[in-house]
Amino acid sequence: MSNWIEHLASLGARFHQEEATQIEDFGTTLSAGALAEGVVAPVTDLGLIAVTGEDAASFLHNQLTNDVEHLGTNEARLAGYCTPKGRLQATFLMWRTGQDIFLALPRAIQPPLQKRLTMFVLRSKAKLRDATEEAASAAVLGLAGAKAEAALRRQVSALPAAPYGKVDGEFGSVLRLADALGAPRYLWITSAETAIAALPQLRETLALGGNAAWRLAEIHAGVPQVTQPTQEQFVPQMVNFELLGGVNFKKGCYPGQEIVARSQYLGKLKRRMTLATLPNAAARAGDEVFSSEDPDQPSGMIVNAAPNGLGGADALVEIKLAALDHEVRHGSAGGTTLSFLPMPYPLDALAD
């Protein structure tokens, strides 16, 4: 167990039942209201794939939905990895540091995804490695809410000015992500020693949360994350991925590219992802939802869900747009009712 994880344990961290290094929470479940005010969350459930070598960028460019060849060191991007049928096997946050291009994804699916990508390296001068364990002596902190920017500025010398910007320094790396609940979100990657020293000061103004709180913030940002239960379920547009800049329609081919392009340009999309809340805290990614208009077959699927501090869960739900005009229930036609909330971005926007 690393010094960072040991320190979090001393603060009363509750660990994931199946993984002794992944922090779920610190004894309390934070609400969206608490997130809006400000939260600092040790993020311990990320897996990292590092890709290095002369052809690292071109190799990934030919595999992922976004432009990798022009990825700068001062930015981060979303990207997807699809099957030949255009279905997402994974969604990544990617950035470049030095000679490495990093792909962040859920730790649970990182090993098989890395193995699959490695199969296609062939003669490319690129090497993939599991960088998750390299981070064992490091720390990843997620910060969100109205007070997060001021709190983080007291710890680092510079912050990215816009979403998906990145700055590096002696303090480590700070990536700014999509806003949630009207405020910026940041991912701070630093040394365990720096994080241990900074955490008491951050907690003076920010609530302390774990992975569950960070997932809730990501849900309210409208950013999907493909996990094991939802692999190969969605074409990127079904989870709004092109609206978030995760698909570049001007780049060359990649697995599933023809289907993704066809979905974009042939007719109006009939399925999208939207934000919902429901009183069932047991809601999980991969659960189906049913519309009263057609109760015998599912009208959509939960993409991500997290406890909302009110006894229920908030969720991103991929669903037929026509079903939004009717009552939608979780799990079955007789399940708990979903209440839909405004998304942080318009669903009819076009990607640049």
Side-chain angles (χ1 to χ4, degrees), residues 138-180:
V140 180
L141 289 171
L143 298 97
K147 297 180 180 179
E149 179 178 354
L152 187 53
R153 282 193 183 278
R154 290 193 285 269
Q155 305 296 326
V156 303
S157 57
L159 289 179
Y164 297 105
K166 171 176 165 284
V167 295
D168 301 302
E170 294 181 357
F171 51 81
S173 298
V174 176
L175 290 73
R176 181 170 169 181
L177 307 181
D179 295 356

Side-chain angles (χ1 to χ4, degrees), residues 88 215 219 224-234 239 271 273 278 280-290 297-306 313-319 329-332 338:
L88 286 165
R215 286 195 296 269
I219 285 167
Q225 187 175 74
V226 168
T227 58
Q228 197 166 23
T230 60
Q231 287 184 295
E232 301 187 20
Q233 295 294 321
F234 312 120
V239 291
R271 307 182 73 98
M273 183 184 71
L278 63 162
N280 186 358
R284 297 289 184 270
D287 289 355
E288 294 176 330
V289 299
F290 292 76
Q297 60 182 351
S299 60
M301 178 177 288
I302 292 180
V303 183
N304 301 113
D314 292 351
L316 291 172
V317 183
E318 181 274 334
I319 193 168
R329 293 179 177 267
H330 168 242
S332 70
L338 281 70

Side-chain angles (χ1 to χ4, degrees), residues 118-326:
T118 301
M119 291 169 53
F120 298 100
V121 170
L122 303 177
R123 296 182 180 179
S124 296
K125 296 178 181 179
K127 183 176 181 180
L128 284 73
R129 72 177 189 276
D130 182 353
T132 308
E133 295 306 317
E134 294 175 19
S137 60
V140 180
L141 289 171
L143 298 97
K147 297 180 180 179
E149 179 178 354
L152 187 53
R153 282 193 183 278
R154 290 193 285 269
Q155 305 296 326
V156 303
S157 57
L159 289 179
Y164 297 105
K166 171 176 165 284
V167 295
D168 301 302
E170 294 181 357
F171 51 81
S173 298
V174 176
L175 290 73
R176 181 170 169 181
L177 307 181
D179 295 356
L181 299 164
R185 291 188 304 135
Y186 301 95
L187 205 63
W188 182 21
I189 304 166
T190 188
S191 68
E193 293 75 18
T194 298
I196 290 170
L199 198 53
Q201 300 171 48
L202 293 170
R203 292 182 64 190
E204 290 177 2
T205 54
L206 304 176
L208 180 63
N211 292 323
W214 188 243
R215 286 195 296 269
L216 185 63
E218 194 153 65
I219 285 167
H220 280 273
V223 179
Q225 187 175 74
V226 168
T227 58
Q228 197 166 23
T230 60
Q231 287 184 295
E232 301 187 20
Q233 295 294 321
F234 312 120
V235 171
Q237 290 94 327
M238 292 165 65
V239 291
N240 309 346
F241 213 54
E242 90 287 13
L243 302 182
L244 295 161
V247 182
N248 186 314
F249 292 100
K250 300 176 183 178
K251 69 185 290 288
C253 292
Y254 54 86
Q257 183 264 342
E258 289 186 5
I259 293 172
V260 175
R262 192 181 308 142
S263 298
Q264 186 72 8
Y265 297 118
L266 294 181
K268 188 175 181 180
L269 291 168
K270 297 181 180 180
R271 307 182 73 98
R272 278 296 194 185
M273 183 184 71
T274 190
L275 179 62
T277 186
L278 63 162
N280 186 358
R284 297 289 184 270
D287 289 355
E288 294 176 330
V289 299
F290 292 76
S291 167
S292 60
E293 180 190 30
D294 188 6
D296 294 329
Q297 60 182 351
S299 60
M301 178 177 288
I302 292 180
V303 183
N304 301 113
N308 60 15
L310 303 173
D314 292 351
L316 291 172
V317 183
E318 181 274 334
I319 193 168
K320 296 177 182 177
L321 290 173
L324 295 175
D325 295 327
H326 304 273

